[in-house]
Amino acid sequence: MENISDATRGFVDLRRHMWIAGIETELRRLIWQIAVTGKYISAKIHESNRKLAGFRNIYDEEQLALDRSADEILQSQFQFSGFVREYSSEEQSEIIQVGKGNEQYSVTADPLDGSSLVDTNLAVGTIIGIHKEPLSEGDKKTLVAAMYITYGPLITMVYSAGKGTHEFVLNREGEYVLSEERIMLNERGSIYSLGGLRKDWLPEHLKFIEFLEREGYKLRYSGGFVPDINQILIKRGGVFTYPALKNKSMGKLRLIFELQPMAFLITQAGGMATNGKEDILLIKPESLDQRSPIYIGSRFEVEKAKEFLSKTL
Ligand code: F6P
Ligand code: MN
């Protein structure tokens, strides 16, 4: 039943939204818990510890103390949740058993995406994938929900559990309030984000980008995957690319931790994501640290990318 005080305040909070949408109880609790964990991560960011942790992750990237803290905060939340079986993060080389073994869900995380931007005060984020089957058992297509949190001037949370993609804003009372429901991208947008150096691009990718430039697309690239994707979602279209490079045929971004959760969210918003040939969501990861080129955004641009990439130059 409608809670009168909420109705008069005129907002729908995350829990009520998921309940009305008919999302299964444990999944609702899990999404809620992750959204709350975002508040703890944001508190850590505000402590402003930008120091290097003195470690490197499995991709040989330097870890900030903040990367490790965000990872530890997430892992410790799942350890006591009662509904997460396995946790796997970009910051760790192994899948962690955080449950007893009979829980329904497993979670992947990029705990603090774009963390090298923290010192510049640009937005950073957390990317989450929620799988129905154990990550360790798998070549199955098991992503059932995805979400990201942006830590910018506002803290926002975007989630999809397969019933559209929705945005919430954290208000001063600490509640996640619905701001955009069932976000739908237009068929075509007007912005583009370009990963990788132009000198390292392959000719077919360069031709695609030249096409966008001729068409008058505006460059929008912050260097943080979460805010760059968020911009495409909130502006209702455009394309983000991190292509195959001459010296890195699989590009930079990570399939399980970054690309598939974002592909889930963008696809639920009527967009598309491809590696140039295959749908990102249909790629079966062979290893945890697998990377992939990506073209993600509204349909027109992603279809065009596929067209350009299929041409042998
Ligand atoms: O997580 C990797 C990441 O920091 C993304 O957030 C971002 O899209 C990308 O790398 C930026 O890479 P580059 O510095 O090569 O542009
Ligand atoms: Mn990242």
Side-chain angles (χ1 to χ4, degrees):
M1 213 173 68
E2 192 85 343
N3 178 327
I4 292 173
S5 65
D6 286 354
T8 49
R9 288 162 72 192
F11 71 66
V12 176
D13 92 319
L14 173 60
R15 271 191 292 194
R16 200 160 100 215
H17 186 263
M18 291 192 288
W19 186 77
I20 294 167
I23 295 166
E24 188 266 325
T25 311
E26 284 202 358
L27 185 54
R28 269 193 278 148
R29 290 195 181 139
L30 177 54
I31 292 172
W32 171 253
Q33 185 184 30
I34 295 168
V36 170
T37 307
K39 299 193 220 176
Y40 308 149
I41 295 176
S42 118
K44 271 280 166 211
I45 297 169
H46 281 97
E47 284 173 15
S48 236
N49 186 351
R50 302 157 178 181
K51 291 189 199 91
L52 292 173
F55 298 97
R56 302 186 86 83
N57 66 14
I58 49 171
Y59 310 93
D60 203 28
E61 295 166 343
E62 268 184 318
Q63 286 177 313
L64 288 178
L66 262 177
D67 288 314
R68 291 177 75 90
S69 308
D71 185 40
E72 282 160 16
I73 291 170
L74 281 163
Q75 186 178 326
S76 70
Q77 292 297 308
F78 299 136
Q79 224 125 30
F80 303 108
S81 78
F83 33 76
V84 180
R85 180 164 169 171
E86 293 175 345
Y87 170 67
S88 181
S89 133
E90 209 176 281
E91 301 302 329
Q92 303 194 45
S93 54
E94 304 289 331
I95 296 171
I96 315 290
Q97 305 297 322
V98 286
K100 294 195 185 112
N102 56 357
E103 296 81 359
Q104 283 198 68
Y105 296 106
S106 296
V107 175
T108 66
D110 179 353
L112 200 59
D113 173 70
S115 54
S116 65
L117 299 174
V118 167
D119 56 358
T120 67
N121 202 27
L122 280 165
V124 293
T126 296
I127 309 172
I128 298 285
I130 300 177
H131 294 253
K132 186 86 181 183
E133 303 292 332
L135 301 162
S136 45
E137 282 174 22
D139 64 343
K140 290 182 233 120
K141 191 169 159 273
T142 60
L143 200 58
V144 291
M147 54 200 288
Y148 64 77
I149 299 166
T150 66
Y151 313 100
L154 293 176
I155 293 176
T156 68
M157 193 282 291
V158 168
Y159 92 93
S160 177
K163 296 180 177 190
T165 298
H166 321 283
E167 187 203 40
F168 294 76
V169 176
L170 190 68
N171 71 8
R172 284 173 178 225
E173 283 82 38
E175 299 154 314
Y176 280 99
V177 180
L178 180 64
S179 56
E180 306 226 32
E181 195 175 26
R182 287 193 184 276
I183 300 173
M184 283 308 282
L185 301 186
N186 297 326
E187 178 66 21
R188 176 177 182 159
S190 58
I191 56 176
Y192 68 140
S193 282
L194 302 173
L197 299 181
R198 192 172 273 254
K199 71 173 178 62
D200 297 329
W201 291 345
L202 299 170
E204 50 275 23
H205 176 75
L206 182 61
K207 293 260 182 252
F208 170 57
I209 300 306
E210 284 169 352
F211 163 78
L212 296 176
E213 288 166 351
R214 277 196 306 278
E215 292 285 307
Y217 280 73
K218 278 192 193 165
L219 179 63
R220 292 286 183 267
Y221 187 69
S222 76
F225 188 44
V226 173
D228 285 335
I229 291 293
N230 191 53
Q231 181 162 224
I232 286 173
L233 192 72
I234 300 303
K235 299 290 187 195
R236 302 293 192 271
V239 63
F240 174 99
T241 71
Y242 209 112
L245 301 173
K246 284 180 190 156
N247 51 354
K248 274 190 189 171
S249 64
M250 297 305 272
K252 177 179 184 187
L253 299 178
R254 284 138 282 219
L255 189 61
I256 298 181
F257 302 114
E258 298 173 307
L259 303 185
Q260 289 190 328
M262 289 307 199
F264 190 92
L265 290 161
I266 290 288
T267 304
Q268 280 289 318
M272 287 175 70
T274 175
N275 64 1
K277 292 193 179 79
E278 233 184 322
D279 188 322
I280 290 287
L281 288 172
L282 297 180
I283 303 174
K284 288 186 181 149
E286 277 158 23
S287 64
L288 271 183
D289 58 358
Q290 191 168 327
R291 300 177 196 251
S292 168
I294 187 160
Y295 297 81
I296 179 170
S298 37
R299 303 186 74 86
F300 172 79
E301 294 83 352
V302 179
E303 288 289 6
K304 268 285 170 216
K306 280 166 74 176
E307 212 178 293
F308 275 95
L309 291 173
S310 67
K311 287 179 195 152
T312 33
L313 295 164

